[in-house]
Amino acid sequence: MKLLRWTMALGLLAAVGAVQAEEKADPNLARNLAATCANCHGTDGKAVAGSGAEALAGTDKAKLLQKLMDFRSGAKPATIMHQISKGYTEAQLELVAAYFAARK
C-alpha cells in the first residue's frame, strides 16, 4: 500500500514538472493560450469598436491578471469568463496577461 502511494506521488510530481517544462520551452505558448480570447476580445486583444468586449491590448499586466483572478474566484461577475479562467493554471493566466500587456 505504501509503495502504491509513493508511486502515485512520484507520478504526480513528474506530471507537474512536465507541464512546467512545457510552459517554459514553448515560445509560442502565451500566444496560443491567448488565441482563445480572440472570439470576444479581437485578434491580439484589439476589440472591435461597439462590440461590447473590452480591448485587452496594452492593458497593464497586473490589472489583467487581477481581473482574471477575480473572474476565477467569482469575485467579478461574468457570463462566461469565470468558466474560461478556471480552465487555465495561474502560470498560464500570467502568460496570457503578459501577452496582452505587450500588445499595442
Side-chain angles (χ1 to χ4, degrees):
M1 190 64 147
K2 285 185 180 181
L3 180 61
L4 178 61
R5 287 183 188 166
W6 280 105
T7 304
M8 289 175 58
L10 288 174
L12 181 60
L13 286 173
V16 169
V19 168
Q20 289 175 344
E22 178 185 333
E23 288 176 359
K24 292 178 183 174
D26 184 356
N28 296 316
L29 183 59
R31 182 199 65 192
N32 295 344
L33 293 170
T36 304
C37 310
N39 286 334
C40 298
H41 296 281
T43 304
D44 283 334
K46 298 172 185 171
V48 175
S51 68
E54 181 180 351
L56 304 176
T59 304
D60 180 64
K61 176 186 172 186
K63 182 179 177 182
L64 286 174
L65 187 57
Q66 185 59 53
K67 283 185 178 185
L68 288 168
M69 298 309 276
D70 288 346
F71 284 129
R72 189 176 198 187
S73 71
K76 187 170 177 68
T79 54
I80 192 145
M81 279 303 299
H82 62 283
Q83 294 171 338
I84 293 171
S85 61
K86 287 179 183 178
Y88 296 99
T89 66
E90 287 186 33
Q92 290 171 329
L93 291 177
E94 284 189 40
L95 286 172
V96 170
Y99 176 82
F100 284 120
R103 300 290 157 254
K104 300 294 175 197

